[in-house]
């Protein structure tokens, strides 16, 4: 085993919010991220690169499942090319799977993974490659490294990003790891991300807003839309925060979240993605002839029509639906569920055909 001295490593990024330089050194340790329930969800980290890069490089660095997932988290069009330039000094929202266990949340599936290069050090990896979203000590602990100053070239490290799957104040929430910039305030951060100072302080255990430190990693609770997705569905963990979208059901369904008018997830057939022409035409059952995402009109114009809503997908590729009405209307909520033909998902379906029948039994 050889000693590898720390040195700067090229970092990667994207094109959204400008990140101000910090002047007050603060601990990046994410001790404020806690989970009161065990389970899986999707979380987001705010990654700020030090040098220019490309969208494809960001995907590779963080092990993001697909370019589309990265684009969706940042509300960018699905047609954005992977080679799009990513300026330095910006913040990109990077989605990653989170697993909560034992009161703590960390990136699931042992992702991202980082391969040690010549002249790397854990501190440089933490601060430069991953923009200070965690500390060298946290990387060392996650990888059972007894001496943080001694790592091997070619060694593969798990980067344990902080996260949580908890609802906040009874509302569906996506937790966002945010690095505090110089001159920030609790009130300013809360306003930027559409939450309240009180909620932000409570989630992070902050007693005095004046104690906020630059470079600290805050758990910012992003309000997500309510949905009709079954908890037992393959994508039952899916939560979409306000102002963004997500692709699901093998990229056949696009779900968008907007605070207006009623924080309800709107899911429609996906358009403009590679396999969208192979996706089935999804209808609701229960005597309805509605297609996914469409709503019946009412003569009164009260907005209380019935909607064919997305309810998840099974392991055999079947897309599930539910007939819903707004909660504020008489008989509001989910009234029935059905499944669509999995046409166009055959290759994926047959890999899971044995378990698919069990999933169908659960949902029917």
């Amino acid at each position: 085993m050889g000693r590898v001295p720390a040195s700067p490593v090229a970092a990667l990024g994207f094109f959204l919010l400008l990140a101000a330089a910090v002047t007050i050194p603060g601990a990046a340790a994410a001790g404020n991220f806690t989970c009161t329930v065990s389970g899986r969800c999707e979380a987001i980290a705010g990654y700020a690169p030090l040098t220019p890069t490309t969208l494809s490089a960001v995907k590779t660095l963080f092990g993001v499942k697909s370019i589309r997932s990265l684009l969706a988290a940042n509300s960018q069009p699905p047609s954005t090319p992977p080679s799009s330039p990513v300026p330095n000094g910006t913040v990109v929202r990077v989605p990653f799977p989170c697993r909560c266990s034992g009161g703590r949340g960390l990136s699931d599936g042992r992702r991202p993974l980082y391969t040690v290069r010549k002249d790397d050090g854990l501190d440089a990896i933490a601060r430069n490659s991953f923009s200070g979203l965690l500390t060298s000590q946290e990387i060392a602990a996650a990888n059972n490294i007894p001496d943080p100053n001694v790592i091997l070239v070619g060694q593969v490290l798990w980067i344990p990003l902080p996260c949580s799957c908890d609802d906040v104040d009874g509302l569906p929430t996506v937790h966002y790891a945010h690095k505090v910039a110089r001159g920030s305030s609790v009130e300013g951060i809360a306003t930027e991300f559409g939450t309240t100072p009180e909620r932000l302080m409570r989630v992070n255990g902050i007693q005095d807003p004046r104690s906020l430190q630059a470079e600290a990693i805050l758990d910012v609770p992003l309000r997500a839309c309510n949905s009709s997705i079954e908890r037992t569905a393959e994508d039952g963990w899916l939560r979409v925060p306000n102002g963004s979208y997500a692709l699901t059901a093998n990229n056949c369904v696009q779900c968008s979240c907007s605070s207006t008018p009623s924080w309800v997830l709107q899911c429609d057939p996906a358009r403009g993605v590679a396999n969208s022409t192979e996706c089935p035409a999804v209808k609701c059952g229960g005597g309805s002839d509605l297609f996914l995402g469409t709503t019946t009109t009412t003569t009164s114009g009260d907005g209380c029509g019935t909607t064919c809503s997305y309810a998840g997908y099974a392991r055999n590729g079947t897309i599930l639906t539910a007939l819903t009405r707004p909660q504020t209307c008489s008989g509001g909520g989910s009234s029935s569920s059905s499944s669509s033909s999995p046409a166009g998902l055959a290759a994926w379906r047959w890999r899971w055909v044995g378990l698919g029948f069990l999933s169908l039994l659960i949902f029917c």
Side-chain angles (χ1 to χ4, degrees):
M1 178 176 293
R3 183 176 298 272
V4 181
S7 70
V9 179
L12 310 172
F14 195 48
F15 39 22
L16 290 181
L17 303 173
L18 289 177
V22 295
T23 57
I24 305 173
N32 300 319
F33 284 74
T34 58
C35 295
T36 59
V37 297
S38 297
R40 177 178 175 241
C41 65
E42 184 147 297
I44 302 175
Y47 170 69
L50 299 183
T51 59
T53 184
T54 65
L55 176 59
S56 178
V58 175
K59 170 189 174 296
T60 300
L61 178 67
F62 281 89
V64 179
K65 184 178 180 181
S66 69
I67 289 289
R68 297 188 189 109
S69 298
L70 191 60
L71 292 171
N74 290 278
S75 300
Q76 297 299 313
S79 58
T80 304
S83 58
S84 296
V86 179
N88 63 305
T90 64
V91 176
V92 57
R93 295 187 177 192
V94 179
F96 64 94
C98 174
R99 175 74 66 178
C100 283
S101 178
R104 189 183 183 194
L106 293 173
S107 48
D108 187 26
R110 301 191 70 80
R111 289 187 294 161
L113 296 176
Y114 181 87
T115 302
V116 177
R117 305 170 184 173
K118 183 181 178 181
D119 296 329
D120 269 350
L122 287 187
D123 187 65
I125 293 170
R127 289 182 177 273
N128 301 336
S129 295
F130 292 93
S131 68
L133 287 169
L134 72 172
T135 64
S136 58
Q137 291 83 359
E138 288 166 337
I139 298 177
N143 291 276
N144 298 314
I145 298 174
D147 185 349
N149 295 312
V150 181
I151 54 177
L152 290 174
V153 173
Q155 184 175 355
V156 178
L157 302 175
W158 168 41
I159 306 301
L161 299 175
C163 58
S164 177
C165 292
D166 287 357
D167 288 343
V168 176
D169 295 335
L171 301 173
T173 301
V174 175
H175 292 261
Y176 176 73
H178 170 71
K179 186 175 180 180
V180 177
R182 178 189 60 185
S184 295
S185 66
V186 168
E187 183 176 1
I189 294 171
T191 300
E192 178 182 353
F193 292 101
T195 187
T196 65
E198 294 77 17
R199 182 175 294 153
L200 187 62
M201 291 175 62
R202 175 159 38 84
V203 168
N204 289 277
I206 298 174
Q207 301 299 320
D208 184 350
R210 294 172 297 181
S211 65
L212 185 67
Q213 280 192 323
E215 294 191 8
I217 305 301
L218 287 188
D219 178 357
V220 178
L222 304 178
R223 171 77 184 273
C225 277
N226 299 305
S227 78
S228 301
I229 300 176
E230 300 281 352
R231 288 288 184 179
T232 50
E234 284 296 288
D235 54 353
W237 50 267
L238 182 66
R239 293 181 179 180
V240 184
N242 183 33
S244 66
Y245 70 92
L247 291 167
T248 188
N250 200 29
N251 295 324
C252 284
V253 177
Q254 179 171 318
C255 297
S256 303
C257 177
S258 174
S259 59
T260 57
S262 56
W263 290 98
V264 174
L265 194 66
Q266 175 66 38
C267 295
D268 301 283
R271 306 291 185 213
V273 296
N275 68 326
S276 58
T277 57
E278 303 173 5
C279 296
V282 183
K283 278 188 176 182
C284 273
S288 167
D289 199 34
L290 291 174
F291 284 93
L292 178 66
T294 59
T295 303
T296 59
T297 58
T298 59
T299 56
S300 61
D302 58 2
C304 286
T306 299
T307 300
C308 180
S309 299
Y310 177 68
Y313 70 101
R315 285 187 173 181
N316 70 340
T318 300
I319 297 176
L320 304 167
T321 57
L323 292 172
T324 63
R325 300 183 73 213
Q327 293 287 349
T328 54
C329 300
S330 175
S334 177
S335 57
S336 64
S337 63
S338 61
S339 60
S340 75
S341 166
L345 304 181
W348 183 67
R349 173 188 62 196
W350 289 112
R351 289 203 303 266
W352 296 97
V353 67
L355 294 174
F357 290 110
L358 176 60
S359 298
L360 287 173
L361 290 174
I362 294 173
F363 287 106
C364 294

